[in-house]
Amino acid sequence: QKEVEQNSGPLSVPEGAIASLNCTYSDRGSQSFFWYRQYSGKSPELIMSIYSNGDKEDGRFTAQLNKASQYVSLLIRDSQPSDSATYLCAVGAGTALIFGKGTTLSVSS
Amino acid sequence: DTEVTQTPKHLVMGMTNKKSLKCEQHMGHRAMYWYKQKAKKPPELMFVYSYEKLSINESVPSRFSPECPNSSLLNLHLHALQPEDSALYLCASSQEPGSLSEQYFGPGTRLTVT
């Protein structure tokens, strides 16, 4: 059974801090990794995709991938209250994505 | 533009009703998906269409019937649903089939079965 694990949280950070969200996966053959943001009552929104080991930066977001450790993370710099949401890690498995259960982030002003 | 549209936004139906959910994308994407999401749970894959053909059916009950009339449209026909089928139904699309391609979600249809 292929699994994606995330700490459900809530993860609470003050405004302006760095939020670090983590995800581990079981399928060593996975090649694609995605982070989605989901506000309460809304649909998931793709934030980042990463396919190679290392870091990928997009604005305040940095995705980090370590395939040897089967670990992918999302860093949010200068966190804002508008970043408060559930963050879903998704890992490619064959023809489909396997989603983690999500980490709830709360940014306090 | 990465827009996927879904109608209706909300739907309330009785257990004997027949209704349809609609999804549309004009990005030229060749794969389209239906997901079901219950509160505080991740999306669960229901169906995958690749190049307008059904490629994955995740053992979904027959009261859910997908249809892909053309490369831009995806429907989900609903019949004789149960209250436990109440959920957010999400449509997504990707440039190509397979898990290497980014999936973009529509806003979803909030379904309540009474």
Side-chain angles (χ1 to χ4, degrees), chain A residues 6-20:
Chain A
Q6 292 182 259
N7 190 330
S8 62
L11 173 65
S12 297
V13 300
E15 184 175 357
I18 296 175
S20 178

Side-chain angles (χ1 to χ4, degrees), chain B residues 30-100:
Chain B
R30 307 311 306 211
M32 297 184 75
Y33 311 78
W34 280 116
Y35 288 86
K36 171 183 176 180
Q37 187 176 27
K38 303 279 270 185
K40 300 194 186 301
K41 299 286 188 183
E44 296 175 34
L45 182 65
M46 301 175 70
F47 302 103
V48 180
Y49 272 82
S50 301
Y51 292 89
E52 302 169 47
K53 294 192 186 311
L54 182 64
S55 62
I56 294 178
N57 176 340
E58 290 286 354
S59 303
V60 178
S62 59
R63 57 186 184 268
F64 295 92
S65 176
E67 178 197 19
C68 188
N70 60 53
S71 60
S72 301
L73 291 174
L74 188 65
N75 298 323
L76 186 62
H77 303 297
L78 314 173
H79 173 55
L81 294 192
Q82 303 298 309
E84 59 265 29
D85 296 321
S86 298
L88 180 66
Y89 286 83
L90 296 162
C91 176
S93 70
S94 63
Q95 184 70 42
E96 294 293 334
S99 59
L100 292 178

Side-chain angles (χ1 to χ4, degrees), chain A residues 18-41:
Chain A
I18 296 175
S20 178
L21 303 158
N22 304 315
C23 172
T24 59
Y25 59 94
S26 63
D27 183 4
R28 190 169 285 279
S30 296
Q31 299 181 60
S32 56
F33 308 85
F34 307 92
W35 283 99
Y36 287 86
R37 177 176 63 197
Q38 187 170 24
Y39 293 111
S40 181

